[in-house]
Amino acid sequence: MCGIFGAVSKSEIQGSLISGLSKLEYRGYDSAGISIITGRQKIKRVRCVGKVKNLKRILNSSRSSGFCGIAHTRWATHGQPILKNSHPHNSSKVSIVHNGIIENSDELKVYLKKKNYKFTSDTDSEVIAHLFSYYAERSSDGVEAMKRVAKKLNGSFAIAAICERWPDHLLAACNGSPLLIGTKKGSNFISSDIHALSETTDTYVPLQDNEIVELNSTDYKIYNFTGRKISRKQTKAKKQTSEINKNGYKHFMQKEIYEQQEIISNAIKHQIGKKGLLPNIFGPNSDKLLLKTKHIHFVACGTSYNAALIAKYWIEEITDIVCTAEIASEYRYRTVNVPPGTLFVAISQSGETADTIYSLKKAKNRNYCSILSICNVPESSITRLSDLVYLTHAGPEISVASTKAFTSQLIALLFMTMVLSRTSKNKTIEKTILKQVKALPAIIKKTFLLEKEIKKIAKNFKNKKHTLFLGRGVSYPIALEAALKLKEITYIHAEGYAAGELKHGPLALVDKNLPVIGLMPDNNLVNQVLSNLAEVRARQGLVYIFTNKKLSSSKTDKTNVINMPSCGHFVSPLVYVIPMQLLSYYVAIEKKTNIDQPRNLAKSVTVE
Ligand code: M6R
């Protein structure tokens, strides 16, 4: 799961390679590297462990000048994040970078070793370098060589390659991992995403599965794996307006938590008119489609999956529509029944998550009435593949831990619930939700006033090894999300549980050292949650309750109660997730972990 960038130009390319690569770091930051064909038509490779800033430092003292080159930022899949496993991988006169997983790399290694190729890394990618070298020596041109390489590979891949035999040509191939061509007068580029091209050009051409491209500084040619030439129109990218800086905050995560109030206000401003929700906010004729929908299959990963779970609770509470929320890595491989009238909804911040993309591709070949995506990144792989798109407009989310993307997805899903509620017998429910939504920005503002208290509580977690989060109903997915946030940035093992499930196993974990956090908005489930927390207290667990219910002292004995502002039932997940995000953030501050780029993770998970 890596970022690929390549450039071939009439002018020097080191600067554009580095600038493109910096923008792809969200796909992994275990190592970085570039290979450039120098003036003497030799490949010069520079690699380092860690981030692009380390690579920049090396290049400052040893510049690589040339007009054709490739670059890579890595998230380790095969082989530790050490120098020998960093990309580019070289073999004789070629250098390659790869994103994806080569499933038959073991067999290919045996094949290539018999041909005397020596392996110097533990990666699956190195087989591509040797294969390309082997075929480059036996092919009349780079396209022919790349075609022969691609035919040998099983799995998902995006590859960019250079060869001293064809010093003015960049070659690339893709199958299952995204790749785009960027074009500009006198230069052509290859990139894992559109964002990395933004400083260089706004004109791009997406590649599709099983395609090869050959680029020089003035032209590019696309072929499929059988060698047939493909013509495809260029697309103009929309301007990205958001600035990427911390705006005085210590971390991007902190900034992104605080941006949530404005993002929600903007969503309300743009999607709600005088008479309520504007028509067709999910795309052309989407209201009609939604009102005919009988089933919805939500598919997503991580935080986006937690948003999907909440949507299921909301929609099933007020309509007869049957919803499933499923983790994309499960959906993509299992047999799925698609009853007539089923809508497929993919939820993704990045629009580049491999499992969600595969699920969406699978769904396109099934009997769904439409494919809708809720996504934060315009012109991402997921939006390009969808029939209908709702953009969450949360602005670039830089911190690996997702915060503002989550609440912006929730507000979209609440809007969807409002449209679907028109099928309900309860004709006032849409108005009720609308009222709660409109009140939300002010409630979120009040929730931020808890920051000081949460900062204090966070100190109690510094030396904890485990934490449990409990919730019922719509607060159960918030318990999952709170646990995900805590483990992701503090490395404390955390679990989210449906509070009623505690006694079916996890209660065995409770002792005087275990913090148990109850999420308890004032609703019809308060008494049940209180009983579950009493069971924890009876075993000396350290109970914290986040609630807007006024509790009698008998219920709060030996319990830390954090008083939340009152909020409507439907918007409670958007309110209760905020102290959970702040708690994780301040525990991470206590533990001095790398908050924006936690160990072993990447912002966008582009391999399965
Ligand atoms: O870009 P996506 O929404 O598709 O990403 C899905 C997950 O990888 C993501 O939500 C991940 O779980 C976050 N790092 C959690 O904070």
Side-chain angles (χ1 to χ4, degrees), residues 30 74-82 84-85 121-124:
D30 285 334
R74 177 172 189 244
W75 184 81
T77 55
H78 292 56
Q80 288 175 47
I82 52 178
K84 69 169 184 174
N85 294 329
S121 78
D122 310 316
T123 66
D124 54 338

Side-chain angles (χ1 to χ4, degrees), residues 26 66-67 75 132 139 143 203-204 217 286 383 421-422 518 561 589:
Y26 73 91
F67 304 92
W75 184 81
F132 189 55
S139 304
V143 173
T203 311
Y204 74 98
S217 59
S286 55
T383 58
S421 75
R422 294 170 200 160
V561 179
I589 293 274

Side-chain angles (χ1 to χ4, degrees), residues 318-320 420-427 429:
I318 57 174
T319 74
D320 293 335
L420 295 170
S421 75
R422 294 170 200 160
T423 61
S424 155
K425 283 189 197 89
N426 181 344
K427 294 296 166 208
I429 193 77

Side-chain angles (χ1 to χ4, degrees), residues 262-272 390 392 411 415:
E262 196 188 339
I263 292 163
I264 290 169
S265 299
N266 285 341
I268 295 171
K269 199 162 83 197
H270 292 124
Q271 311 296 9
I272 294 176
Y390 179 99
T392 52
I411 200 82
F415 291 156

Side-chain angles (χ1 to χ4, degrees), residues 16 31 56 91 158 178 180 225 292 321 343 372 457 500 519 530-531 536 554 585:
S16 45
S31 69
K56 269 190 205 162
S91 176
L180 308 166
F225 285 179
K292 280 199 299 201
I321 296 165
L343 173 69
L372 165 68
I457 295 173
L519 296 161
L530 281 174
S531 306
V536 174
S554 66
Y585 176 75

